[in-house]
Amino acid sequence: MVGVSETTRIGLVTGAGSPGRTDERFGIHATDLGVCWESGDGRVLVAFGDTYGEGWGGSGPGPAQADWRRNVLACSTDRDLATGLRLDGVVARADGSAAQVLPSGRGREITTIPNSGIAVAGTQYLHYMSVRQWIRPGVWRTNHAGIAVSHDGGNTWSAPRGARWPNRWGGHRFQLGAFALADDHLYLLGTTNGRYGDAYLARADPTALPATRAFRYWTGSGWSTRWHAAAPVAAGPVGEMSLGFHRTLGRWLLMHLDETRRGIVLRSAARLTGPWTSGEVVVSGDEYPAVYGGYLHPWSLDGPDLYYLVSQWGPYNVYLTRSRLVLE
């Protein structure tokens, strides 16, 4: 079992006062999430959700006229995480500010939110959800989830229709997700739209990506072609999640928001199919109100200090956080 002896907030990743001065350099005054993955070319790519520029009000998402971009993508080569995380650059518009990378806003779509990214054989894949309606905190409707693809290091993206999991009737088990590579497969840990579902497991042959029909779903005893046959591998409530294999400890780590425990939880397992520990709260909403997210930095998955990105609604920005791991 993996435990945590202490947790420290290192500092801002985005907004005024961040090491990368994202407000001045990239027009990122306020944003959330910070989905991290290795790009395969010496960088870490970092995807953010709804992003705002000048005119942001200072609490939660800003008005649409405040240069609203529904998602943006940055990169970093910073390995000295003890001093903070500096973003080196972004997929940019002509003026150098961060561009929206995934199209969004057509029809009954409010926004398009990134959930997880991964690089496979030089191609970038980004799991995202198309949000149809925000209902109340922790509860929303999605049109679908999907996999977007980039063949040029994240500069341009496509979102093929054949790479979607429709959610017209609700309840689809892979609307939020976290990618991982293991034993020659791409795995996807998923949950329903919102923050109250269990977690389920799927996998695909990477050569068949991004087609969702290539995925098979863990039933508890085998793999099925039917997503609704998937059995829970980790009990909820599971919100936004991140997945990684800690090379020194030899265990999988799962980080996610737990609304019931009011914080970011760290869990572990020897196998992706479980059993997963119940975990412990590593960032409490009592100390940092309205905290959410929790995305592992891939360059910290081999030592005692685990770094990850969390969001806080009030400031509506992203913070680098460190937890000291212990094997219990």
Side-chain angles (χ1 to χ4, degrees):
M1 180 182 297
V2 178
V4 170
S5 62
E6 61 177 312
T7 293
T8 304
R9 173 173 280 190
I10 303 300
L12 280 163
V13 175
T14 58
S18 61
R21 306 190 335 273
T22 68
D23 54 333
E24 302 172 29
R25 298 170 64 212
F26 309 130
I28 301 176
H29 290 245
T31 190
D32 69 350
L33 304 183
V35 175
C36 300
W37 74 97
E38 286 190 279
S39 62
D41 59 6
R43 301 178 299 159
V44 166
L45 297 182
V46 189
F48 298 97
D50 291 304
T51 299
Y52 298 88
E54 289 187 280
W56 168 66
S59 179
Q65 62 267 29
D67 195 13
W68 178 25
R69 291 141 289 169
R70 292 168 171 85
N71 48 77
V72 300
L73 183 66
C75 65
S76 176
T77 57
D78 190 352
R79 289 185 175 271
D80 187 12
L81 299 179
T83 61
L85 176 61
R86 175 186 170 88
L87 301 180
D88 300 329
V90 295
V91 176
R93 300 182 289 198
D95 64 359
S97 61
Q100 180 173 300
V101 294
L102 299 182
S104 183
R106 296 179 180 177
R108 296 183 178 182
E109 181 180 74
I110 296 174
T111 189
T112 300
I113 302 296
N115 293 318
S116 182
I118 200 161
V120 183
T123 299
Q124 311 297 323
Y125 297 99
L126 185 59
H127 186 283
Y128 68 89
M129 61 180 171
S130 167
V131 177
R132 181 170 183 161
Q133 180 185 14
W134 299 118
I135 298 173
R136 58 184 182 275
V139 179
W140 58 83
R141 294 177 63 194
T142 57
N143 297 301
H144 61 268
I147 301 175
V149 184
S150 173
H151 296 288
D152 59 4
N155 289 307
T156 59
W157 293 84
S158 63
R161 296 190 65 85
R164 294 180 179 177
W165 289 275
N167 197 36
R168 182 177 180 182
W169 307 113
H172 193 282
R173 296 168 184 170
F174 294 86
Q175 296 298 293
L176 279 77
F179 284 137
L181 282 170
D183 58 40
D184 298 323
H185 286 89
L186 175 74
Y187 285 85
L188 175 64
L189 197 68
T191 191
T192 53
N193 47 285
R195 294 170 170 165
Y196 293 97
D198 296 329
Y200 303 83
L201 188 65
R203 73 179 187 182
D205 182 336
T207 63
L209 295 175
T212 54
R213 66 177 180 274
F215 281 82
R216 301 294 181 263
Y217 304 92
W218 179 248
T219 65
S221 59
W223 299 93
S224 171
T225 58
R226 299 177 299 134
W227 67 262
H228 46 79
V233 296
V238 175
E240 302 90 351
M241 69 184 86
S242 180
L243 188 62
F245 185 75
H246 196 284
R247 294 178 290 275
T248 302
L249 298 178
R251 292 184 66 86
W252 288 97
L253 301 182
L254 169 62
M255 180 169 278
H256 66 84
L257 175 67
D258 185 317
E259 287 278 21
T260 301
R261 287 189 273 182
R262 289 175 40 80
I264 306 298
V265 172
L266 181 66
R267 304 167 74 167
S268 66
R271 295 173 298 278
L272 287 168
T273 53
W276 289 89
T277 64
S278 60
E280 63 181 291
V281 174
V282 293
V283 182
S284 171
D286 294 331
E287 183 176 4
Y288 299 108
V291 69
Y292 60 105
Y295 297 97
L296 300 168
H297 192 293
W299 289 346
S300 69
L301 289 170
D302 57 3
D305 289 333
L306 185 69
Y307 290 88
Y308 49 95
L309 279 65
V310 299
S311 301
Q312 200 172 352
W313 181 259
Y316 197 65
N317 263 307
V318 178
Y319 294 83
L320 182 67
T321 305
R322 177 183 64 214
S323 289
R324 176 63 57 91
L325 301 178
V326 293
L327 190 60
E328 299 177 337

